[in-house]
Amino acid sequence: MLHAARVLCLLVLLGAATASSGPSFHRCPADFKLVRRGQTISASEARYTEQKRKHVLPDAFKTYLKNVKGTGVKLPKYVEQILQTKSELPTVGISVSGGGYRAALFGAGVLNALDARNSSAAKTGTGGLLQATTHLAGLSGGSWLVTSLAQANFPTIQHLVFGDGKSKDFAGWIPSRDIWTVSTDPAEQAIFAHQVLHEIAAKAKHFPVSVGDAWGRALARHFTNGTTESGFLANTSHGSGILFSDLVKLPTFASHQQPFPIMVANIASEHINGTLFPGGNFVPLNSPMFEFNLFEMSCFDDVLAAHTPMKYLGTTNRSLCATGFDEAMFLSGTSSNLWNEANATSPEVLAAGTANFSVLVNSTYPQSPSLRLDSSNYPNPFHGVAPETFSDSHETILSLIDGGEDGQIMPLQPMLVEDRKVDVIIAVDAPNDDGNNYARGASLIATQERMKIFQRGLAPFPAVPASLDGFAAQNLTSRPTFFGCNAPSPHHSPSSPYNNHHPTPSPPLVVYIPNGAPPRDGSPPLTNTSTFQSTYTAGEMQGMLAQTFDVATQGAVVRGGGLRDREWGACLACAVVERARARVRAKRSGVCETCFARYCWEG
Ligand SMILES: *[C@@H]1O[C@H](CO)[C@@H](O)[C@H](O)[C@H]1NC(C)=O
Ligand SMILES: *[C@@H]1O[C@H](CO)[C@@H](O)[C@H](O)[C@H]1NC(C)=O
Ligand SMILES: *[C@@H]1O[C@H](CO)[C@@H](O)[C@H](O)[C@H]1NC(C)=O
Ligand SMILES: *[C@@H]1O[C@H](CO)[C@@H](O)[C@H](O)[C@H]1NC(C)=O
Ligand SMILES: *[C@@H]1O[C@H](CO)[C@@H](O)[C@H](O)[C@H]1NC(C)=O
Ligand SMILES: *[C@@H]1O[C@H](CO)[C@@H](O)[C@H](O)[C@H]1NC(C)=O
Ligand SMILES: *[C@@H]1O[C@H](CO)[C@@H](O)[C@H](O)[C@H]1NC(C)=O
Ligand SMILES: *[C@@H]1O[C@H](CO)[C@@H](O)[C@H](O)[C@H]1NC(C)=O
Ligand SMILES: *[C@@H]1O[C@H](CO)[C@@H](O)[C@H](O)[C@H]1NC(C)=O
Ligand SMILES: *[C@@H]1O[C@H](CO)[C@@H](O)[C@H](O)[C@H]1NC(C)=O
């Protein structure tokens, strides 16, 4: 059992433990801009994707095309032409849902199936798409994957999840230890608690701290560099000080090989009343959403439409600038902070759910009684911005929480930012929609509903069934499904929020890859583990990765074709080039016609 007094005492005794120096304040640079307004992306992001398009995508799509052709399925000429023409290359985004470790592992399994470096993936004609992907968004458990992959310098999934056995400070996800309760030995657990509290000491000097900070530190031991299995309780910094804004310096970012990483969070606002999406428990759909990307923390919703530099997160004016606030795992911990749900009943439930870290943080670093301890707290860089439409404009603190709490468990909205010009979203969905820890389409429905509220300045979202029954009736979660196949080309419409100078863009095509059914061959299902299962054996993880590999590479059951669709690789390629096909005004033909008949949902 942990007591604050004991931990405080340990803090004094074990003062020698290492931690980063934490955030600090400096005079702001001369050209510092705290807030950028509008619904466009940053110049830095534009430069990153432009460089990637120029120097990485041509070869990446060449390799991908070679793999698709390697399956022996004959492709229409336009598919090959598009994938070999620099100016026509499609913009691909991948969105990985929440759902704890299950979602992180399912997402990892799908990325593995799209990775050119995996020879089995290359053989099925899906490998190579990951290298050709421009944006990668993650939410909650999906954000653990995104952060982990980005900060580890884009290793293969096998190396990411299990470690490569060589790296001294990254040993894989170490899922043998629970995230909050790392040991049943009270002395060991006390050492862990002490270390976590110690690691946030420097931050606590300048900023409010809450359970969100402890959560970030606890997660860092699994998903960022700095912890090994044997050194789990060692007095090292456990990756504190790995900043999101610094990742751009890693070799695979410097060479633009990595997809542009994005994470999503919701706001816990006391000023928003609205309809809760069924199953989206705490945040109404009319709440603005926030994203963390390599360069900015952004809100692309028209009610705020504002951005602040990632590197200077924690800053609220233009004279004194904070740096070091944007610790990668604090941000990912924000995207996965659902501890406010535990507090919905009472602070005692919150304390129990967080192994008392909500209490320990506050007793070690006493906070203002008005501070929420259940959320991840950010000094509000948007103070005074959009006071008419942004609910929390007058708040000094933004209390941010799990990005899926509005019911949108997949981070699709970042891919609908018009300026990103995403042609196709690989929508990787592993929530618990049905009590059996399978996806049933709820996330897509939530985004469809939200897009009725937040439309201006975002690309349209393709139509999806209006209800879970609609998904079930057509088995849309037991195989991949394409949405938006026959969407209109960019057009002028008097009823749209766009005008004549700015035609309504086409929606991206959505390739939905759900974790929605047990294996077809009747083997025991491994991918629908509970969201709250927080320890795994290496065998369980390998089993999940293997079954997910099948989900992402087998396609649909084809009449007379057995359990796998041997054309799936080609079908995926048809979806990938579909918007580019419309741009070059080619006619859909050949295998792409049969693929679309098989995989498209058209209402
Ligand atoms: C951590 O440091 C303290 C002294 O500062 C020491 O007593 C303790 O044994 C160390 N723990 C480990 C696992 O090395
Ligand atoms: C994390 O470790 C990997 C493998 O050793 C290394 O390539 C990468 O640069 C490290 N990342 C950071 C942020 O230090
Ligand atoms: C939200 O609803 C509550 C209860 O009906 C009401 O007291 C409060 O003023 C409303 N807040 C806003 C921002 O509309
Ligand atoms: C700017 O922010 C810093 C840090 O929060 C604060 O100490 C300082 O008083 C602020 N300055 C102004 C002019 O508001
Ligand atoms: C939290 O602290 C209370 C009171 O000390 C204790 O009863 C409870 O078991 C603790 N919970 C956990 C998860 O450690
Ligand atoms: C946090 O600590 C402060 C100072 O001791 C106290 O006033 C406040 O009530 C505490 N907050 C919670 C939620 O317990
Ligand atoms: C629990 O949630 C309420 C709002 O729902 C909030 O006011 C309160 O600060 C939270 N408690 C803690 C301990 O964070
Ligand atoms: C996984 O799905 C099977 C049905 O396919 C169900 O029996 C089992 O309880 C599910 N497991 C979990 C942890 O939900
Ligand atoms: C859905 O799947 C079930 C069982 O696999 C099958 O019996 C049914 O015909 C399928 N329905 C449709 C519309 O494909
Ligand atoms: C490719 O993926 C499969 C399925 O997860 C895995 O067993 C295999 O080790 C991977 N190969 C490489 C080279 O990563």
Side-chain angles (χ1 to χ4, degrees):
M1 211 148 306
L2 284 167
H3 293 286
R6 177 165 174 205
V7 169
L8 267 177
C9 166
L10 276 166
L11 265 178
V12 176
L13 279 175
L14 308 185
T18 344
S20 84
S21 52
S24 54
F25 283 99
H26 311 270
R27 188 203 301 253
C28 294
D31 59 350
F32 179 70
K33 247 180 108 176
L34 179 61
V35 177
R36 183 177 72 78
R37 295 299 307 277
Q39 289 173 292
T40 57
I41 58 171
S42 64
S44 301
E45 179 180 339
R47 209 171 308 122
Y48 187 84
T49 49
E50 195 186 294
Q51 291 296 308
K52 186 174 175 89
R53 169 165 281 277
K54 209 159 148 190
H55 301 298
V56 176
L57 294 192
D59 282 344
F61 275 116
K62 216 167 277 164
T63 304
Y64 172 57
L65 176 63
K66 191 180 104 235
N67 290 340
V68 180
K69 287 171 72 173
T71 62
V73 177
K74 190 172 162 15
L75 297 169
K77 223 183 214 100
Y78 72 82
V79 175
E80 298 196 32
Q81 263 161 6
I82 287 166
L83 294 182
Q84 290 172 311
T85 310
K86 263 188 177 188
S87 56
E88 301 302 341
L89 298 176
T91 301
V92 181
I94 302 179
S95 297
V96 182
S97 83
Y101 257 112
R102 178 190 62 244
L105 285 163
F106 186 81
V110 174
L111 296 193
N112 184 37
L114 303 180
D115 193 330
R117 294 169 292 188
N118 188 302
S119 54
S120 323
K123 245 214 234 105
T124 65
T126 51
L129 191 55
L130 177 61
Q131 280 69 21
T133 293
T134 305
H135 304 89
L136 174 62
L139 177 160
S140 200
S143 85
W144 302 346
L145 167 66
V146 169
T147 306
S148 192
L149 184 68
Q151 68 88 43
N153 197 35
F154 206 44
T156 62
I157 292 299
Q158 285 291 129
H159 283 172
L160 180 70
V161 173
F162 301 98
D164 62 7
K166 288 194 300 242
S167 168
K168 276 199 303 293
D169 67 355
F170 191 72
W173 288 356
I174 317 182
S176 53
R177 299 260 190 185
D178 180 80
I179 299 170
W180 279 133
T181 309
V182 303
S183 174
T184 50
D185 173 352
E188 282 196 352
Q189 178 68 12
I191 290 172
F192 166 71
H194 153 256
Q195 289 175 341
V196 162
L197 292 169
H198 181 70
E199 286 156 17
I200 64 177
K203 181 174 177 184
K205 283 199 196 118
H206 304 290
F207 295 102
V209 288
S210 70
V211 77
D213 294 272
W215 181 232
R217 294 279 77 240
L219 290 168
R221 285 159 165 74
H222 303 274
F223 300 107
T224 55
N225 289 359
T227 305
T228 58
E229 192 138 22
S230 60
F232 200 88
L233 292 167
N235 295 324
T236 54
S237 66
H238 296 285
S240 54
I242 295 180
L243 305 179
F244 205 49
S245 61
D246 270 350
L247 299 186
V248 72
K249 297 173 192 154
L250 292 175
T252 50
F253 277 112
S255 59
H256 311 100
Q257 281 165 277
Q258 291 220 34
F260 189 72
I262 305 170
M263 299 185 257
V264 166
N266 277 151
I267 184 165
S269 172
E270 271 138 44
H271 313 295
I272 300 173
N273 285 340
T275 314
L276 294 178
F277 183 75
N281 306 307
F282 290 90
V283 177
L285 277 178
N286 58 332
S287 298
M289 287 168 60
F290 292 83
E291 69 161 55
F292 307 112
N293 66 55
L294 218 41
F295 300 115
E296 290 184 326
M297 168 169 137
S298 292
C299 173
F300 282 98
D301 294 319
D302 60 352
V303 292
L304 177 55
H307 318 263
T308 196
M310 179 53 65
K311 181 173 176 189
Y312 298 106
L313 218 52
T315 304
T316 52
N317 63 47
R318 289 187 310 188
S319 39
L320 212 49
C321 272
T323 54
F325 187 98
D326 61 312
E327 202 171 277
M329 224 53 217
F330 174 66
L331 304 182
S332 181
T334 304
S335 180
S336 58
N337 181 350
L338 40 66
W339 303 112
N340 64 308
E341 298 191 14
N343 168 29
T345 38
S346 75
E348 288 74 36
V349 175
L350 171 62
T354 61
N356 277 338
F357 273 96
S358 58
V359 176
L360 290 174
V361 168
N362 197 36
S363 51
T364 312
Y365 311 109
Q367 300 295 308
S368 146
S370 64
L371 187 81
R372 292 187 71 125
L373 293 178
D374 59 356
S375 56
S376 300
N377 300 315
Y378 293 71
N380 184 1
F382 307 125
H383 190 262
V385 177
E388 306 293 317
T389 49
F390 174 42
S391 56
D392 287 54
S393 178
H394 62 284
E395 292 287 350
T396 55
I397 299 286
L398 295 181
S399 295
L400 302 186
I401 50 173
D402 191 291
E405 290 196 50
D406 60 358
Q408 300 184 98
I409 319 263
M410 264 189 296
L412 295 168
Q413 195 254 23
M415 304 303 168
L416 300 174
V417 168
E418 241 200 288
D419 209 14
R420 291 197 169 123
K421 301 185 180 69
V422 173
D423 291 316
V424 55
I425 308 174
I426 312 296
V428 182
D429 200 22
N432 176 10
D433 286 346
D434 67 348
N436 264 341
N437 295 292
Y438 282 126
R440 290 287 172 262
S443 224
L444 291 171
I445 300 173
T447 296
Q448 173 162 271
E449 288 304 306
R450 187 177 191 273
M451 289 299 288
K452 294 176 184 163
I453 307 167
F454 294 98
Q455 190 180 18
R456 191 173 293 272
L458 297 175
F461 188 64
V464 299
S467 69
L468 297 184
D469 290 345
F471 278 87
Q474 293 172 66
N475 288 345
L476 300 182
T477 59
S478 62
R479 58 175 180 92
T481 302
F482 302 164
F483 297 99
C485 293
N486 295 315
S489 321
H491 61 286
H492 298 277
S493 149
S495 66
S496 88
Y498 304 90
N499 56 39
N500 284 335
H501 303 290
H502 186 169
T504 306
S506 315
L509 190 142
V510 172
V511 173
Y512 184 51
I513 303 188
N515 180 30
R520 290 186 188 147
D521 64 7
S523 49
L526 304 177
T527 63
N528 66 324
T529 51
S530 161
T531 309
F532 299 99
Q533 177 177 337
S534 57
T535 60
Y536 282 81
T537 64
E540 282 177 298
M541 295 201 302
Q542 197 69 70
M544 287 177 81
L545 291 174
Q547 288 194 356
T548 306
F549 188 87
D550 284 342
V551 171
T553 55
Q554 71 194 355
V557 175
V558 188
R559 206 172 308 138
L563 300 180
R564 309 179 74 92
D565 176 0
R566 58 174 283 278
E567 290 175 344
W568 167 242
C571 290
L572 181 60
C574 294
V576 166
V577 304
E578 174 60 17
R579 291 295 178 262
R581 179 202 61 74
R583 282 194 291 270
V584 302
R585 296 167 198 275
K587 195 172 148 1
R588 196 186 296 150
S589 61
V591 73
C592 290
E593 272 195 296
T594 41
C595 285
F596 273 43
R598 196 178 307 145
Y599 288 101
C600 292
W601 180 85
E602 289 302 343

